[in-house]
Amino acid sequence: MTVRNSVRDILLEALNLCSRDNLLLTAEFPPLIIETPANPEHGDFATNVAMQLAKGERKSPRAVAEILVNKIAEASNAFERVEIAGPGFINFTLKKSEWQTLLKEIASSGSSYGRLESSGSRKVQVEFVSANPTGPLHVGHGRGAAIGDTLCRLLDATGWDVTREFYYNDAGQQIYNLALSVQARCLGIEPDDPRWPADGYQGEYIKDLAKAYLSSETVETDGHSVTASANSSDLESIRIFAVAYLRREQDIVLKAFDVRFDNYFLESSLYTSGAVQDTVDRIIGKGHTYEEGGALWLRTTSFGDDKDRVMRKSDGGFTYFVPDIAYHLDKWNRGFVRVVNEQGADHHSTITRVRGGLQALDVGIPLGWPEYLLHQMVTVMRGGEEVKISKRAGGYVTLGELIDEVGVDATRYFFVMRKPDSQLVFDIDLAKQHSTDNPVYYVQYAHARICRIFESAAESGFSYDPASARVELLETDEEIRIIKSLASLPETIQSAAESFEPHRITSYLHNLAGELHSFYNCHRVLSDDPGLTTSRLFMLATVATVIKSALGLLGVSAPERM
RNA sequence: GCGCCCGUAGCUCAGCUGGAUAGAGCAACGGCCUUCUAAGCCGUAGGUCGUACGUUCGAGUCGUACCGGGCGCGCCA
């Protein structure tokens, strides 16, 4: 129960009291909006309900507000003031004691504060990263990994049972190209050689791969090991080794990035199990296809697409979105009533196709299933200029390189700092800076600062007993402001999870850290007054806990010293 | 040409799903350390919210049309 919800409940009760006493014409109330005014003079909370009711009541908004305010006083004594302002807003100012009491409640929840108790087993699957095993992960995958992982943590914190899944496109043309490229490198063929395969992968990593293959290296990934045969004419053997090699490399980077998956799903398994063929047959059976030009077409225009799409090419092969549909049918059959796919926005056109294919199957899948969270492109800047070239991959900066240079904490924080819908400019210089300019350090520093105060207290022989804290001593503006921020954590987590906007957590943290720093600069914590010292330490301990758990939602550490 | 995303301070971005005087951080300028970490704080300056209509008590937020930028529009994945 958040403070905002409590206010909403009181307001609703006041409205009901009005109805009971026949003070209002209507008993149908609009959804009650309790907002936080931008201007502190307008109180802690405000509602516009009087303005919404005014027309129906044939009264002025202020007159409606007048009636309501009287009943609010009857419904609750939690408020210092309830005022009518502006065009008809009702502004609520809570008593300080309400905030102070709230701090105690927050503190008693400890590290679980802000989390919603899981109400049963609401299963959700989140698919993210899903990079092709044809090269190292790039910064775009990094953003996807950070956003996807944070979303998983947010959903987990809001009561969902989350399954994290990675889909490997390990079948099809691009893997064939990969094998050809490695084979070419094995034979000493360079990209400018006329014998170099068309659409071959040119990055340096292919050379490393070829070298590993020729020296019969063994790689382990996903629980099994593959040893290279070193035979350059065995393309199938090259393919198997190359995929295993690159998967392992991706695994290592993701592990370093602290991103884990519960399940790895291989596209190739959809072919070996017959799921792809089965899916096609079922769609044909439902009559949503036709043959033209030697190809089999899916009538996606029936499901909102702007043109129909080929499912089976005239050469007999399936196009890429057919296994996608089979894959999603598999997710549905596994009982995931809710599925979220986190992807780069450059793949947004697949949404209509996948959903259309699922509708064509006619197995009762809802129209908006699965949900999508798309992120826009990442641009990496260094020294004011865009960085494009990487040693390993050639054409793009890899996630591994970025982590090595700026560290996991800063990388993760920066990737989720912006709304996924916005393109992201990743400023390497800023991310590496150990100063106030760097938002990650700004937040982490607030945590470290609190830890240091506790250390100082211990060093000076002060024995801190949280049970004897007296919250009523916390009455300065800076303290009350901090408590209010602490109070808004649960709804921040809730809204970030519901709207798929992890950046709300970084905004929250930056704001809370700022309030902590302001407080620190205006008030001493360790003073001659043991009662006040204890009470302030009590508040700081709570702030540290909240910072740590909110950073934890982002997969960012909360250091005790910096 | 069509579809999706974006356009807010010089720069990077918020703006709580329609509220009151549009915010923060960089960059610029001026202050604050013999006392818990100055990796910090306080202050000044900076705006036609891309443009124009519309919806209503009320628009940065919703709608339409333009302008500008990105991405996608294959029997590639």
Side-chain angles (χ1 to χ4, degrees), chain A residues 77-126:
Chain A
N77 60 0
F79 301 107
E80 178 79 43
R81 291 191 308 276
V82 179
E83 298 169 314
I84 301 166
F89 289 103
I90 301 174
N91 293 336
F92 302 87
T93 306
L94 278 175
K95 289 178 181 164
K96 253 183 202 179
S97 58
E98 294 290 323
W99 292 114
Q100 290 158 340
T101 307
L102 188 64
L103 174 64
K104 265 196 269 186
E105 288 169 23
I106 293 170
S108 69
S109 315
S111 57
S112 69
Y113 174 63
R115 298 179 63 89
L116 226 66
E117 292 109 74
S118 47
S119 47
S121 58
R122 300 191 294 168
K123 278 176 61 174
V124 61
Q125 189 225 51
V126 180

Side-chain angles (χ1 to χ4, degrees), chain A residues 147-200:
Chain A
I147 290 175
D149 184 59
T150 300
L151 178 67
C152 290
R153 293 171 193 242
L154 286 168
L155 289 171
D156 178 65
T158 48
W160 291 87
D161 176 11
V162 184
T163 300
R164 304 142 165 269
E165 190 151 308
F166 190 126
Y167 178 63
Y168 275 108
N169 289 99
D170 65 336
Q173 187 63 34
Q174 82 281 14
I175 296 297
Y176 182 63
N177 289 340
L178 171 71
L180 287 178
S181 310
V182 174
Q183 184 180 47
R185 285 294 191 185
C186 286
L187 300 170
I189 298 170
E190 303 278 326
D192 51 8
D193 192 301
R195 290 171 296 164
W196 183 262
D199 303 322

Side-chain angles (χ1 to χ4, degrees), chain A residues 22 63 67 115 146 230 264 297 338 367 418 453 461:
Chain A
N22 293 316
I67 297 169
R115 298 179 63 89
Y264 293 91
W297 295 72
R338 189 171 188 208
L367 277 175
R418 305 300 180 210
I453 293 172

Side-chain angles (χ1 to χ4, degrees), chain A residues 288-449:
Chain A
H288 293 292
T289 61
Y290 58 92
E291 300 257 358
E292 191 181 296
L296 178 71
W297 295 72
L298 173 62
R299 212 181 307 271
T300 49
T301 46
S302 309
F303 308 103
D305 207 349
D306 54 356
K307 57 178 93 159
D308 292 337
R309 307 289 168 177
V310 169
M311 294 179 82
R312 195 181 58 229
K313 299 179 277 185
S314 49
D315 69 5
F318 294 114
T319 55
Y320 74 95
F321 79 98
V322 178
D324 269 3
I325 296 168
Y327 173 43
H328 282 87
L329 177 61
D330 185 88
K331 288 185 184 182
W332 177 259
N333 288 337
R334 277 186 275 159
F336 291 111
V337 174
R338 189 171 188 208
V339 165
V340 183
N341 291 336
E342 202 291 342
Q343 308 180 343
D346 52 345
H347 287 85
H348 81 266
S349 59
T350 64
I351 298 175
T352 332
R353 276 171 237 184
V354 168
R355 285 184 180 159
L358 293 170
Q359 290 308 306
L361 282 164
D362 190 25
V363 290
I365 295 175
L367 277 175
W369 191 96
E371 297 165 65
Y372 281 84
L373 165 53
L374 303 180
H375 66 263
Q376 295 289 330
M377 293 186 54
V378 177
T379 309
V380 180
M381 303 286 281
R382 183 193 279 117
E385 290 189 2
E386 184 175 350
V387 186
K388 278 189 166 156
I389 305 306
S390 120
K391 288 191 291 258
R392 289 256 21 242
Y396 56 88
V397 181
T398 70
L399 176 59
E401 290 164 332
L402 195 61
I403 295 174
D404 286 346
E405 187 167 355
V406 308
V408 171
D409 283 346
T411 305
R412 290 191 69 126
Y413 195 95
F414 272 59
F415 274 142
V416 298
M417 196 165 55
R418 305 300 180 210
K419 196 165 28 181
D421 277 343
S422 300
Q423 292 181 22
L424 177 75
V425 175
F426 194 112
D427 184 339
I428 287 188
D429 303 317
L430 180 61
K432 284 168 71 177
Q433 214 160 318
H434 290 210
S435 77
T436 166
D437 310 358
N438 188 336
V440 196
Y441 284 86
Y442 185 79
V443 173
Q444 290 181 321
Y445 182 54
H447 183 267
R449 204 167 217 182

